[in-house]
Amino acid sequence: MQAQTAAQVLNRCAFVIGHKSGASASFRLSSAKYGSASGTIAIKGNRFRATTPQAIVWYNGKTQWSYMKKTGEVNISTPTQAQQMSMNPYTFIHIYKTGYRSSLQRSGSNYIVHLTAVNQKRTVQELYLTINKNSYVPSKVRMRQGSTWSTITISNFRAKSLPNSLFSFNAKDYPKAEVIDLR
């Protein structure tokens, strides 16, 4: 059997989790800079919806809506790549293809893919992805922004059909929300 390269593993992983009709998973983010959060995420292409006890974030591929449950505010923004990555652990599906050097290690039943930015001005300079050798589903993403490391642990991954409407904020569902446009 031929040895896999980091690019081959990432391509296969992107194919599995980038299921064109959608997928969902549970996640836990921990970071010295961002604190910690856990919840669920739904993804479809470059769109996502993340739900935590504190907030719901919708991203339709261009616009992001962040609903803060405590304040009842919805902030509308156009997020940077780093902001997308801090909320969507699957953003790496696309970024590894441009501007990163990659290497591959094996660890038990997983592949560990290490990505390093070619341009040190990239917001995310370094990533470690833990990917199951059999299913090609990622279980952990560790990324470095500046000197800050964040870890996203992923579980309960399931491919399933999701409607596009799931990834956009619907004001009718939150009639008392105060909408703040930050674009």
Side-chain angles (χ1 to χ4, degrees):
M1 188 169 142
Q2 192 175 348
Q4 295 263 36
T5 66
Q8 288 170 324
V9 169
L10 289 171
N11 285 337
R12 186 91 182 266
C13 177
F15 177 78
V16 169
I17 64 176
H19 193 269
K20 58 181 174 226
S21 62
S24 66
S26 299
F27 72 91
R28 174 154 184 72
L29 166 72
S30 58
S31 165
K33 188 174 183 177
Y34 298 109
S36 64
S38 59
T40 58
I41 188 162
I43 59 169
K44 186 175 183 181
N46 66 342
R47 298 172 289 231
F48 73 90
R49 175 182 169 160
T51 305
T52 69
Q54 299 80 23
I56 303 172
V57 179
W58 297 262
Y59 179 68
N60 67 4
K62 182 182 171 205
T63 303
Q64 179 172 296
W65 296 265
S66 301
Y67 174 68
M68 305 309 292
K69 294 177 182 178
K70 190 175 182 180
T71 62
E73 291 179 354
V74 176
N75 291 320
I76 304 172
S77 63
T78 306
T80 64
Q81 184 181 67
Q83 289 166 332
Q84 288 178 51
M85 288 188 81
S86 69
M87 283 306 300
N88 181 357
Y90 295 121
T91 307
F92 74 83
I93 293 173
H94 305 291
I95 73 155
Y96 76 90
K97 294 177 182 177
T98 56
Y100 286 87
R101 284 187 297 276
S102 62
S103 64
L104 179 68
Q105 296 177 328
R106 286 157 188 78
S107 175
S109 61
N110 294 307
Y111 292 114
I112 310 290
V113 177
H114 181 210
L115 298 174
T116 309
V118 175
N119 179 348
Q120 288 304 303
K121 293 193 188 322
R122 291 287 292 256
T123 309
V124 176
Q125 287 105 16
E126 198 172 0
L127 284 161
Y128 286 94
L129 307 163
T130 303
I131 299 168
N132 182 283
K133 282 183 185 176
N134 297 318
S135 67
Y136 288 87
V137 171
S139 59
K140 188 188 289 186
V141 178
R142 281 187 67 226
M143 63 180 165
R144 181 172 60 86
Q145 296 169 259
S147 60
T148 304
W149 282 93
S150 300
T151 302
I152 302 166
T153 307
I154 303 158
S155 58
N156 303 320
F157 177 86
R158 287 182 179 70
K160 61 184 190 183
S161 186
L162 301 171
N164 290 341
S165 60
L166 185 68
F167 305 100
S168 293
F169 173 73
N170 185 344
K172 291 178 190 155
D173 295 337
Y174 301 88
K176 295 182 179 175
E178 180 186 347
V179 177
I180 301 165
D181 197 329
L182 302 172
R183 292 174 288 184

